[in-house]
Amino acid sequence: MKQELLQEIVSYWGTRAEGYSEVNEKELAGSQREAWLHVLEEQFPEKKKEELKILDIGTGPGFFPMILSEAGYSVTAVDYTEEMLEKAEENLGKYTKHGLERVTLLQMDAQNLEFADETFDVVISRNLTWNLEKPEQAYREWTRVLKPGGVLLNFDANWYGYLYDEEKKEAYEADRKKVEERQLDDHYLCTDIDRMENIARQVPLSAMERPSWDTKVLESLGVCSIRTDSEIWKRVWSEEERLNYASTPMFLVRAEKNDECKEQIVHYWEKRSESFLEQRRSELANPIAKRWMKEITKQIPAGRRLKILDVGCGAGFFSILLAKEGHEVYGIDLTPEMIENAIRLAEEENADCRFQVMDAENPMFANETFDVVISRNLTWTLPNAEHAYGEWMRVLKTGGVLLNFDANYGKEDVSDTKGLPEEHAHFKVGNEMLEECERIKSQLPISRKNRPAYDVAVLCENTEGEIRIDTSLGKRIYLEKDEFYNPAPMFSIRAVKQ
């Protein structure tokens, strides 16, 4: 954060510590205390209280640590404003039985946390993100310190949207009149409103439409299972708060760290690995293999031996085909059983390939290692496809080619087998597995994208080289309605690294 803006924000909130604490005291004295505790607990991971490690970011006068420590939880609470932390310590001693026994207070920047990766089970924040200069960086930090399966809970609102929208300004002014008519404390006008508005104009989220902005950022970070609740305010606000903030209702953004989602994906493909092996073994002996090679050959550099990375190689179909053409091929997949089967199938086919268990989103190769990166039916299964595309372009040599063959499976119901031939592979998988696939898809951000337009937009951010799409690929590959037939329209994307 720019030092002068940071200091202005810190200075402002230093002057607000006493008044903000009085607001918290009202919450503690009324029904909101129990309402907030219930809202928090119903979102927490299923762990014993004593096992949960909770981080409260931007704790202010310590409201969350007070109610959580009294309920038996241990909390680490951080704030950048010294006066807020002093007030939090005072309040914990005044309003809780255990004081600092279950709470650790630390001065820290929400955008640059000083904790190790995967430290906390829960990260919570209230009314903070809107006044950060780098909220995207903050979200990156908050997800970084979450453990796999950890939960992020962010309560916030479009507090100063009225500075950029005339309708919102009229609604905001109507709130002020209603509060005056009811002779209640005005939570805006009892502060240095000019000073706060000046800060709000310098930070990015005042002009954003939220929580859609938050969802988009968390999706880009690969977070799995993102939910928003725009009516959470109805459960925790007092009548006074409802009148003060009617035009700026508080929302909740809840997100789970994606590693849990990846575990589900790996477990799913582990169960599919044997049937997948049989399908790929049959596919290699079918004319469809030659059709695939024809499609690939016309899109990769000709006349020399290429170093190729097959990401999400599965049972090794592409790896084997390309190795038989004399190329040096590396196949990676996150599912160990798939790699075992790929090695077995390559031995059967006498193909010289190198296979390794590795995350397609984080390939552990040096920059500019490969002439070609190729993938088939993988991107639709990734929690963070944007990051994956960036990594694939990173490991490509300058002038190298990325080939991705996929379909918009996220918008296809794979459990709907109407119209498929009787011998189709989906009938061998079983309804239970197909339903599990649908559950996983529903958690993945890419399932909600318009593809391949989404893919092209992401790749445009990663290369200035040529990008081509072909939406008629499936018609050339699947000439027969047989066990390999794919009813979802397949597309190919070819991108050159420049």
Side-chain angles (χ1 to χ4, degrees), residues 49-68:
K49 288 183 179 181
E50 58 270 21
E51 294 177 354
L52 275 179
K53 294 190 69 176
I54 301 173
L55 174 64
D56 177 25
I57 303 178
T59 190
F63 178 71
F64 281 161
M66 282 188 279
I67 63 173
L68 289 170

Side-chain angles (χ1 to χ4, degrees), residues 13-30 32 59-63 66 83-84 86-88 90-91 94-95 126 185-187 190-191 238 240-241 245:
W13 286 108
T15 66
R16 287 287 308 277
E18 190 66 41
Y20 202 34
S21 181
E22 290 173 4
V23 172
N24 283 175
E25 288 170 25
K26 287 184 180 179
E27 292 177 304
L28 289 169
Q32 290 167 277
T59 190
F63 178 71
M66 282 188 279
E83 291 86 348
M84 286 291 188
E86 290 173 354
K87 202 66 190 176
E90 178 186 326
N91 288 340
K94 185 176 179 181
Y95 297 109
R126 178 167 72 144
D185 289 336
D186 193 313
H187 292 192
C190 65
T191 66
S238 66
E240 184 175 291
E241 287 175 315
Y245 308 128

Side-chain angles (χ1 to χ4, degrees), residues 217 252 317 334 336 340:
V217 169
L252 164 65
F317 180 72
L334 192 56
E340 290 175 8

Side-chain angles (χ1 to χ4, degrees), residues 56 104 108 127 162 179 213 222 350 356 402 414 418 430 460 462 489 493:
D56 177 25
T104 302
M108 198 176 295
N127 301 342
Y162 68 81
V179 170
W213 178 90
N350 197 28
Q356 187 174 352
L402 168 64
V414 297
K418 296 190 297 292
C460 283
N462 286 281
I493 302 174

